[in-house]
Amino acid sequence: MRAENISIRIGGAAGYGIMAAGYMLSKVFAKKGYYVIDSNEYPSLIRGGHNTYTIRVSTNPVYSVSKNLDILIALDKQTIDLHREEVSYGGHILYDQQDFSSEEMKKSRKDINYLAVPFTKIIEQIEAPSVVRNQVSLGAILALIDISLDTLGTVVKETFMPKGENVVNLNSRAADLGYKYIKEKLNHSSPYTLEIVKHKSKMLVTGNDAVFLGGVRAGCKFFAAYPMTPSSSILHAFASAENEYNIVTKHAESELAVINMAMGASFAGARSMVATSGGGFSLMNEGLSAAAMTETPIVVVLSQRPAPATGLPTWTEQGDMLFAIHAAHGEFLRVVMAPGDPQECFYMTGQAFNLAEKYQIPVIILLDKYLSENHFACEKFDPAKIKVDRGTLIADSSELADDYQRYEKTKDGVSARVVSGLEGGIHIANTDEHDPYGFSSDDPNNRKDMMDKRFNKIKKLVKDLHPPKIYGPPEAEITCWSWGSCKGPILEAMKTLNREQKKVNLVHFNLLYPFLIEPVMKIIKDSNRNVIIENNKTSQLGKLIMMNTGLKFNSRILKYSGRQFLPGEIVSGIEQL
Amino acid sequence: MRAENISIRIGGAAGYGIMAAGYMLSKVFAKKGYYVIDSNEYPSLIRGGHNTYTIRVSTNPVYSVSKNLDILIALDKQTIDLHREEVSYGGHILYDQQDFSSEEMKKSRKDINYLAVPFTKIIEQIEAPSVVRNQVSLGAILALIDISLDTLGTVVKETFMPKGENVVNLNSRAADLGYKYIKEKLNHSSPYTLEIVKHKSKMLVTGNDAVFLGGVRAGCKFFAAYPMTPSSSILHAFASAENEYNIVTKHAESELAVINMAMGASFAGARSMVATSGGGFSLMNEGLSAAAMTETPIVVVLSQRPAPATGLPTWTEQGDMLFAIHAAHGEFLRVVMAPGDPQECFYMTGQAFNLAEKYQIPVIILLDKYLSENHFACEKFDPAKIKVDRGTLIADSSELADDYQRYEKTKDGVSARVVSGLEGGIHIANTDEHDPYGFSSDDPNNRKDMMDKRFNKIKKLVKDLHPPKIYGPPEAEITCWSWGSCKGPILEAMKTLNREQKKVNLVHFNLLYPFLIEPVMKIIKDSNRNVIIENNKTSQLGKLIMMNTGLKFNSRILKYSGRQFLPGEIVSGIEQL
Amino acid sequence: MNKNNNLKPKDFNTHIKPTWCTGCGNYGIWNALKKAFVSLGLKNHQILGVYGIGCSGNGTNFLKTYAFHALHGRALPVATGAKLANHKLHVVAMAGDGDGAGIGGNHFMHTCRRNINLTYIMHDNRVYGLTTGQAAPTTDRGTRTKSTPSGVLESPVNPIAIALASGASFVARGFSGDTKHLSGLFSEAIRHRGFSFVDVLQPCVTFNKKNTYEWYRKRIDNLQEDQNYSKKDAAEAFKRSNQDEEEKIPIGIFYQEEKPLYEDGLKQIERKPLVDHVINDIDINKLLNNYF
Amino acid sequence: MNKNNNLKPKDFNTHIKPTWCTGCGNYGIWNALKKAFVSLGLKNHQILGVYGIGCSGNGTNFLKTYAFHALHGRALPVATGAKLANHKLHVVAMAGDGDGAGIGGNHFMHTCRRNINLTYIMHDNRVYGLTTGQAAPTTDRGTRTKSTPSGVLESPVNPIAIALASGASFVARGFSGDTKHLSGLFSEAIRHRGFSFVDVLQPCVTFNKKNTYEWYRKRIDNLQEDQNYSKKDAAEAFKRSNQDEEEKIPIGIFYQEEKPLYEDGLKQIERKPLVDHVINDIDINKLLNNYF
Ligand SMILES: Cc1ncc(C[n+]2csc(CCOP(=O)(O)OP(=O)(O)O)c2C)c(N)n1
Ligand SMILES: Cc1ncc(C[n+]2csc(CCOP(=O)(O)OP(=O)(O)O)c2C)c(N)n1
Ligand code: SF4
Ligand code: SF4
Ligand SMILES: [Mg+2]
Ligand SMILES: [Mg+2]
């Protein structure tokens, strides 16, 4: 069967190397130039829970994994119990006879192919530890879809070289044996053949990777975090790059320390960023408010996970939008972004640093576990598109006014900042309300002026912002409204819906706040039937739109089970409208 | 001049006993059965700043101090410089010749009476410390408005007895001498005569006092706080009552400790409350979210002050409403109240505890510095009107179901709580998403069910809530919309406006969230012209209304100088509409 | 505490099988604690376990007592509040080293000086387990982890020294590889009248490749086996806590003293726990009169 | 540090006259600090003062240097961030005892063990001044305050002991009533290569009626006048820090050691401060290639 795209899931207990194998497989596809999107699921346990890694590989752009699986690799029995129903008619399940008898299995679904592979025996044969069964499965998959082993060989090398040549060889051999076993068993024919693409190799990145890369490019010099799923890999990435890129990365004692350290570094003149999830962001609220009062630029990445409280640490949700928009005591200007895919993560992180510095305000980037931790194959980012604009920052004494006023009451609300330590630049960054020099002041007129000054920035700021982007046919019957990571599943659903003649388009907000009322009103005027799609319970985008336009959309497709939408859910949601 | 009401301000440097004197004077009036409202202003300094205490005393209900002063007592020169313009035509300034020459003074306003009183000489004569000048001024005022000294005598005794009889006597003598000096100087006639009232003595309380009293009555057994202006006096009050009323009061190491301790105490079965201001509330966000997830009842008092950050610690603003409504990560139900005066503070605190326990949710009571720290004379609170309803709390093992499920999925979303330690009541209060017993669960269906369970409570909850209250004529030309502490100044302004035939009424929200859409829509339908009045910059009530009804009011009267509205400002604001 | 109940350690199991990695030191702590409960004659419902977030916190699902699975770093204030509200409960707070010495360090310091009658067990694996292996505040200088790929640049937090400096009245260290000793330590800690702190050296077999069972076994040295050691000398205890780990790692009770409980100062709970007070119709007239 | 500038203490005054109460110990600290700056030859713009919130924090308005008036409890992390971003700045963090040992206690512990080259001065008046007299964590047991009308029930935090337990490399105590000694201490602290902590006994004439100038004067005892005292012995320092205050209150340098700076481990700031790096067009191609 020649296929344009194939869906594969590897499943097993935590500790079985599911995440590693899945990532390696995605990497193989990306290297070969295919479009790939993956989705990993795991509980907040180090061992014992059930892990899965689902990959959709395609010759054409894909935006989401799908519900139906072509191939399911079960490294334990539970995988079959849990996921058998998701395998497509005629699909394949690879399993180990040791875990499960084929008789037992066939009882429930006779429409699919069961391929027993002696994962365990193979690794026993080469005396490999049991985790290496994952490599056998990779070989088996590639055999099944008729892709030669050479690219996997490269990936194995890249992955295991740090652990030594022996480990590389062991893993390669395991893959090799898996490959051969299938090839022989199937008489050297493969049930699937992925069409060959001539694309260049693709980058395989998560949203977190993209934020990190955008941050480095934008000149982030100070990054602080306290680990919190699903934001932690941004910390790991910055930490690993700190020497080569001259970035101080600090895993601090708490999120309170994190935001205040970053504020100190930014005050001194270094571009600074922090990353966390909901709980950590809650703790950062007071600091956010301090950044606003002292007009210290700061970029805060908030990767959402299902909450309240500890919630579901390793799952996904879009529950923190209105919190981010209203977070922290007092009234102040901020920007809240919600990139929808890694490209947007990369370029908007660049934009975030510029906005933060030009307007001397906090910028919040909303991600979620789905975007933060799943991999997307995409074209190489273009660093040249991130240009650094540091606004009014002064790094040279000669540029300083004689009577330097850090909080000068300017027309556009933006005053000159100074790299600390310059002669002539002395001032107070004051969390108290303050006069133009920064001295504490409780004068009522000064208070009013300073509030106006800080809010006046919005006039210029909005010119640097972009309205939501419209995807799909301009005059659609149904217009979907969404934000952040739902973009992918909706675009994928639109493929199906528009194929079947339903004309659906998407208005996607990757920039939530400040809300650009006019352009949104215009889109609403031009649209027919509107439906809000969000990965939360209370329809926060719906509230945001109503709060700003007065308009209420009565149709909603909401999901709040801690899982991202599957395109099929959106298709049927829209069909049922 | 027989007067229905008189406005008095005492001013001087911090450390001059302005606050004490003002309070004592208010107390005298309240004891005599007058209506009193006062307003104190001081900077966030222990010494050196300028303090004022303004009192409006009246034979009829008053809701706000006014801009115009009948009597200004200046214990230093600055007081005259700053406040001379606020003295009414024909009003009186009392000052000490040592501070200021009368010639100098008369230059700028000849239409007022200057009365020199030798404050300093008098206390030197009796060898009292300089702070006692404040008592001289009290005597002088009473002489001026023809009120005998006996009630002040009582107040002096009540105030200074803890410091010993000598102190009482010294202060009494000082007041006496001030009284006599004026009487003699004015030839035993007084320029003002406050009409005599036959009312019973009134309570003189601040909003903080009322919250404290309501809390004690409602059975609050655990109160924790970290001091923060303007909420601190609630802590002091609870601390002072803890032995007699069997309340554990804990001044903890931080607001993080505060909210988590209160959660622990509430989990164990004690009604618990915390109080803070914006910065502390920011720090409490994560805990708030944990209370929601574990369904632990908690009452959080948030007394607002101008922010962001440290802001203006001793001034007033309504800047935290939308923050309180959206605070903390994840989506969860809460109640947000905003009482408008001490009566509402008292009764609604009682209601807050009941709602928190009946629905096992956090309840936030918004105050502000104006309400928290100013005194209002009012009728004695009726404790019987606060009835305790602990909802489904089980304190006896025999009432426990056999297979007790702490988070049972009930129709109304409310499950049985248990006082910890009961046999048969074992469960987990879990900040992780959990199953009905409290065990951690990341099952998608359970997640959805639990979110639904927690949100379903709203259906019953709204029946316990009341819509905004309308004050003034039902069919007014202009309807004011406001919340919290603006109530007083608006009611006061309405007296003037409605006297001059403008028909103005007020829709006052003392309960902001959940928002009762239907009743509000009805009021809007019935109203002519709407104006929002708020003590903030961004019109948060306006946004809340728009978010819930889609309706936008185009007229706004906003103040954000850190000061409460004066009725005159509202009058002219409305006249200029 | 009733010594004659017939509970067995397994009666403190829930229906959920622990999900810790095979060989994880948390098993030892779990077993030692159950044994201690049994030996103290405590029943399930008389105990409240308060947990932080971390691998150890997952234990909330495995130990059958009243439980509060608090936020990361906040086990101690929750435990404090619950204990003050119902001081008849036996309250045991349990959390990781990241939880207790990292994000929650301030509560640790203040709970020590507060001397409330509760027990605090630090699951000290010198790493962030649940978030998959970043440096903990207790991780040795120079250690390379995901968050410190060029090596930790700070001196590690010394939980024993901090407890001593903060005035804790019972300060001990155990090793999860020696369940018998540990369980004894837990019993003494729970029996101690005041705040008791037990730092448990807990191997994390997955992320901490340095501080293994073997590594500890070679170095461990029971203070109570040293006849000259007095657990009443805080300065000596402080010194021992700073001992070069390459030589010896002392376990046992570093310090114990009798001092007034926080609860001793609370008249309001003298007669009965707060939660037992009837709140139906509290007479506040006397209070109201203060405002006239 | 250039010893030959001609600045005088008053050159560190702003146009704002201090608003502290007459007699407040903050004046002594302020004067001692200005003197130390002068004696070290520091110029105003070379210094960054980071303040907490409290009476001492109001000092942000009175001392003419770069200044950050941080949130309550957060002076140290702000100072840390600023120092790492521009390690050429001389960073002095200043905050109250409530700020530093209460709400900010965790940062205190962790900044000590971090050993960044900055100075931290605790304005230790054993009370919450700015919020008008509640108990501080340093307030003595039994003291009646607004928030503890039946008396404080906890042992006070001992900032010196905490600093020692946390591995600070310079731990000292001064008295704001002895400006000369204090100013010398500040100079040594700033000169010290590493994190230096100075606990300053600061009378609050308005709210602390116990720990007055007189009370301190009677008890104060300069460690450096004791020939037998070695500031290299942490256990001895710990012991002295726990001395019965009714007898003696040691001041001076309790402990000093040379150990690697946090900054020493940061290759990225070896050549120049972070803030001096040009960020216009950073080449990330190598990084991007890691994702292929
Ligand atoms: C406020 C907050 N920040 C971060 C996290 C993420 N987090 C969960 S567990 C953990 C650390 C675990 O380390 P430790 O406390 O030592 O426990 P262990 O897993 O090692 O037992 C972190 C950082 C969180 N839950 N909450
Ligand atoms: C988060 C937060 N909580 C509470 C406060 C209120 N507050 C301001 S200063 C202070 C305590 C002051 O005590 P200390 O730090 O000892 O300084 P001092 O005034 O004694 O110099 C408090 C509680 C605050 N500003 N922020
Ligand atoms: S990761 Fe470490 S601490 Fe966590 S369960 Fe596994 S071995 Fe135990
Ligand atoms: S209250 Fe105390 S600490 Fe504050 S300024 Fe006055 S004397 Fe100084
Ligand atoms: Mg750990
Ligand atoms: Mg203090």
Side-chain angles (χ1 to χ4, degrees), chain D residues 96-98 123-129 136 202:
Chain D
D97 49 330
H123 295 234
D124 186 355
N125 58 4
R126 305 192 175 188
V127 77
Y128 282 35
Q202 177 228 320

Side-chain angles (χ1 to χ4, degrees), chain A residues 432-448:
Chain A
D432 276 347
E433 188 57 278
H434 42 262
D435 72 11
Y437 298 91
F439 289 105
S440 303
S441 162
D442 54 17
D443 179 78
N445 296 321
N446 177 74
R447 163 67 176 176
K448 192 178 166 301

Side-chain angles (χ1 to χ4, degrees), chain D residues 52-259:
Chain D
I53 301 295
C55 287
S56 66
N58 285 344
T60 202
N61 296 297
F62 319 141
L63 192 69
K64 195 174 181 176
T65 67
Y66 274 92
F68 198 114
H69 194 189
L71 293 166
H72 186 48
R74 312 299 161 208
L76 283 175
V78 170
T80 298
K83 181 75 186 182
L84 293 177
N86 186 358
H87 63 276
K88 295 235 165 116
L89 287 172
H90 295 270
V91 179
V92 181
M94 289 158 271
D97 49 330
D99 186 291
I103 191 168
N106 204 32
H107 306 305
F108 179 34
M109 223 163 80
H110 287 274
T111 313
C112 286
R113 77 185 184 89
R114 201 158 280 148
N115 205 35
I116 290 176
N117 192 14
L118 53 86
T119 298
Y120 176 42
I121 300 170
M122 187 178 283
H123 295 234
D124 186 355
N125 58 4
R126 305 192 175 188
V127 77
Y128 282 35
L130 193 62
T131 47
T132 72
Q134 298 85 359
T138 43
T139 304
D140 278 336
R141 184 189 282 275
T143 311
R144 293 171 194 273
T145 71
K146 282 180 179 173
S147 60
T148 60
S150 346
V152 170
L153 297 174
E154 291 131 318
S155 316
V157 166
N158 177 341
I160 298 286
I162 297 290
L164 290 167
S166 306
S169 59
F170 181 103
V171 181
R173 188 190 274 146
F175 170 45
S176 76
D178 183 350
T179 319
K180 199 166 153 229
H181 175 257
L182 187 62
S183 147
L185 223 45
F186 286 161
S187 295
E188 295 208 54
I190 295 172
R191 222 183 272 122
H192 173 75
R193 193 173 185 278
F195 178 70
S196 48
F197 170 60
V198 187
D199 178 32
V200 185
L201 306 171
Q202 177 228 320
C204 166
V205 297
T206 303
F207 296 112
N208 186 334
K209 303 298 184 187
K210 177 179 173 187
N211 310 111
T212 60
Y213 286 97
E214 245 204 302
W215 189 87
Y216 280 123
R217 283 216 175 89
K218 271 194 206 140
R219 291 163 173 79
I220 266 171
D221 183 43
N222 190 334
L223 286 169
Q224 270 69 53
E225 285 168 6
D226 176 352
Q227 305 258 322
N228 294 323
Y229 187 77
S230 155
K231 60 183 186 182
K232 290 186 177 155
D233 181 346
E236 181 60 23
F238 183 80
K239 199 166 182 175
R240 298 282 181 122
S241 81
N242 280 319
Q243 183 134 19
D244 180 357
E245 291 207 332
E246 283 312 319
E247 289 168 23
K248 275 184 183 177
I249 302 181
I251 61 168
I253 303 176
F254 279 75
Y255 184 70
Q256 185 166 14
E257 109 187 81
E258 269 185 50
K259 65 178 198 181

